[in-house]
Amino acid sequence: MKKLLNTLVVSVALSFAGFAGFVFANPSPFGLTLEKTTVAEMQAKYSAQPTGTNRYSNGPMFELTPGQLGVDGMKSALVIFDQNNTLVGVLTTFPKHRFDSLHGLLRGLYNVESSQIPFVGDKRVVLREGSTRITLDAPHLSFDLEMNYIADRLQQRFEAEQRREQEEKRKREAGNL
């Protein structure tokens, strides 16, 4: 009996270990997996226009034609790669009236970290999957909302650069007083 119980425990543990790798995988919006898809793979799948180099990832950025992504109402889509040509961000814009439907879809796919959805005012939902942060932002006085998938390492670089720029501005202003 003890041997059967040990075998069962090991079997369940191995099942969860295999499943955990799947659960914590990075998302694949529009079939593009963050931290995995390369520029060449994205270009083989979609028509994309280069838009320059991202200042936070030092990698190429591309504008995708929203119609080819299969989501109604999308206004724009920008994909960001790192210096090694690996996908680290997908930034999209939708009409604000899509907030509730997108929120419902995302909530069913990813883990909600925070949710701020007042009756009137800015709406913001932050979700997580693997090492990717998914945000849905709908500012109150805007006609658009942003749905962004950003790898943690790109988000960290962005936040560090923002802190650095704010500190430089503070020092500049202090020097002028």
Side-chain angles (χ1 to χ4, degrees), residues 11 22 26-27 34 39 56 59 62 67 73 96 99-100 103-104 109-110 113 122 136 142 155 169 171 175:
S11 177
F22 174 75
N26 284 321
L34 272 88
V39 170
Y56 304 107
F62 296 87
K96 190 167 154 178
F99 183 89
D100 291 335
H103 176 240
L109 295 171
Y110 308 115
E113 279 191 352
D122 296 344
L136 191 60
S142 175
Q155 184 70 33
K169 180 181 176 185
K171 287 179 182 177

Side-chain angles (χ1 to χ4, degrees), residues 114-138:
S114 65
S115 180
Q116 187 177 29
I117 307 175
F119 184 71
V120 175
D122 296 344
K123 296 179 179 181
R124 179 173 173 80
V125 176
V126 178
L127 305 104
R128 171 150 308 275
E129 185 68 21
S131 63
T132 301
R133 180 177 170 186
I134 302 110
T135 57
L136 191 60
D137 281 311

Side-chain angles (χ1 to χ4, degrees), residues 12 17 45 49 60 63 76 81 85 87 169:
V12 169
K45 189 169 190 155
Q49 296 298 319
E63 186 77 33
S76 68
F81 293 85
N85 291 331
L87 183 66
K169 180 181 176 185

Side-chain angles (χ1 to χ4, degrees), residues 4 47 82 122 152 163:
L4 178 63
S47 157
D82 65 11
D122 296 344
D152 288 342
R163 283 190 301 272

Side-chain angles (χ1 to χ4, degrees), residues 44-79:
K45 189 169 190 155
Y46 296 114
S47 157
Q49 296 298 319
T51 60
T53 301
N54 184 273
R55 68 184 259 196
Y56 304 107
S57 71
N58 295 317
M61 297 186 298
F62 296 87
E63 186 77 33
L64 301 178
T65 306
Q68 65 185 328
L69 300 176
V71 180
D72 288 337
M74 185 184 297
K75 292 183 169 186
S76 68
L78 179 74
V79 290

